[in-house]
Amino acid sequence: MKRRNDIRNVAIIAHVDHGKTTLVDSLIKFSGQFRESQLQQECILDSNDQERERGITILAKNIALTYGDTKINIIDTPGHADFGGEVERVLRMADGALVLVDSFEGPRPQTRFVLQKALEVGLQPLVVVNKIDRPDARPLDVLNETFDLFVELGADDATLDFPYVFASGRSGYASHDPATRSGDIRPLLDLIIERIPGPEVDEEAPLQFMVTSLTYSEFVGRIATGRISCGKIKTGQTISLMKADGSIKNEKVVALEVFDKLGRTPVQEATAGDIVAITGLSKPEIGDTVADPAFPKALPRISVDEPTISMVFTINSSPFAGAKEGGGKYLTTRHLRDRLDRELESNVALRVTEASDKEAFNVSGRGVLHLSVLIEQMRREGYELSVGKPQVIRKKIDGKVHEPFEILVVDVPQNEVGPVMEIVGNRRGEVTNMTTNSTGMSHLEFSIPARGLIGIRTRMLNATRGEAIIHHQFDCYKPIEGDVPRRANGVLVSQERGKVVAFALGKLQERSELFVAPGDEVYEGMIVGENSRDTDMVVNPIREKKLTNMRASGSDENIILKPPRRLSLEAALEYIEDDEYVEVTPSIIRLRKIRLTETERKQHSRGSVTE
């Protein structure tokens, strides 16, 4: 085995909003290898529409820069806990990791998660204390906190002697002195070359290549990306594709590409240590090994943490399914199954099973955001579907039922601690740590059942007037706790189909909060508002005023309606109860009862009571 000094493979890992993608922007701009037109926007690598709209990274991305005589392959990863599966699979491609930590916030739950995964894989960490130009920055304290985190995670003495640098990704400079506020990003690049090792390779050994990510092209089909562990690979070469079930298929490499700047460049040959993209394999899957047909030996498959949240995906069975205006193109169970199967190819943290109802699927993921991103993508592609209430996935351990618990971290002004403690306490959360810093912000850490988190963000933001900063991270499975409070209010359910009338809403808004406005189309069983009481109420939102030829002075009142409450997809998923669906179409999101008619609902409730 020998080390290649002409290449560095580096993953950038951090908690959400600590500045990974912005730091990559600085590296791209400093390299001077890109056209001005490629550098116009912020967060250059966040190319996905949803990434731009949400302001977060969802998918891991690869780019390559040349610094001196060394090629640096950079892997930008998501920071949100729900997309931890993306981080777990790409760490296999790297030899080192830039561990970004915000110079004020310090290590957070996702910092712990990604650092633990990096240490398990054996990556060389390089700590970057980012955002040192913040007025409230405390870079040296944060560096000490990061060292403590390494100790907690059981790092050995060699790892504890990690290199570090202070930086501002937005301003584009790095320094070994936390007081510096100028310069360029060169010190960080020098440290990468000096302290992160090149890949250890054996070019003469038989070929081994792990498929760690997949993309799809309409022109060439699936493109498998990964790092060559041993040997060499050439365009036109015959290889063996080793599957999860132990089967081996001989395939031909139609095209071979290496990463270059923001894209890929075709090459005739690549050797151990290179990160490459292979075209021509018929059905590669993440975790498959590409090997030499003469010596087919599989690499250990990627192991990813299990999902914790499950939802039912089913066809849209409402009267407005496939509506001419704003309706979807893909409406059937077959369309739904094909789309979910395609998602499974690249989304390693997702699980899909068929439900007892033949038209439904149980889709499991890391959290509500993980699944809502998939639903939103399907909606934009022209799919219509109905989605059930998120449910936690329980396990039987030693004969007892266990449920997932999460670490909930809340930063909130000191005067808003009371409402936060009350909300979390009502949902079976227990305080594990509580500190207050010099700026008057309280840092609260809780252990809470995962089901207690569903819907908590909206309630907490309302209770703290939008001041709370909320993060959560899966912790472990513990014996099941007692009940968690459900939605406090019932809903208004339409009993008719038609267009909403202002006259009807004027009477309803006195005792409810409305989700629809005059002119909106509704149908029987659709949820049109929230009741002020804890029971559901069937209403007629299309009732018009009776017209007569009799006049009465002062009888015509001026109807003033409050604007309706429009729920986002995530808010709708957290709002619904077990007997309700979120109806998702390309143009609109509606709430509905699973059983549309009042008679069906009464029969079902009587059956439930009898049982």
Side-chain angles (χ1 to χ4, degrees), residues 180-202:
T180 300
R181 294 292 180 271
S182 62
D184 56 32
I185 209 75
R186 195 186 307 268
L188 173 57
L189 290 165
D190 289 336
L191 210 54
I192 290 172
I193 302 298
E194 180 187 335
R195 297 298 297 269
I196 291 183
E200 198 173 37
V201 301
D202 185 352

Side-chain angles (χ1 to χ4, degrees), residues 250-305:
N250 284 346
E251 307 264 2
K252 189 173 182 181
V253 177
V254 173
L256 184 66
E257 296 174 309
V258 294
F259 286 87
D260 181 36
K261 303 182 181 63
L262 296 178
R264 297 189 298 263
T265 302
V267 292
Q268 288 300 309
E269 181 180 272
T271 59
D274 286 326
I275 295 176
V276 298
I278 298 176
T279 304
L281 309 185
S282 57
K283 283 193 175 179
E285 295 174 351
I286 289 175
D288 288 354
T289 299
V290 172
D292 188 328
F295 303 96
K297 185 179 178 183
L299 291 163
R301 291 189 77 83
I302 296 170
S303 62
V304 174
D305 289 351

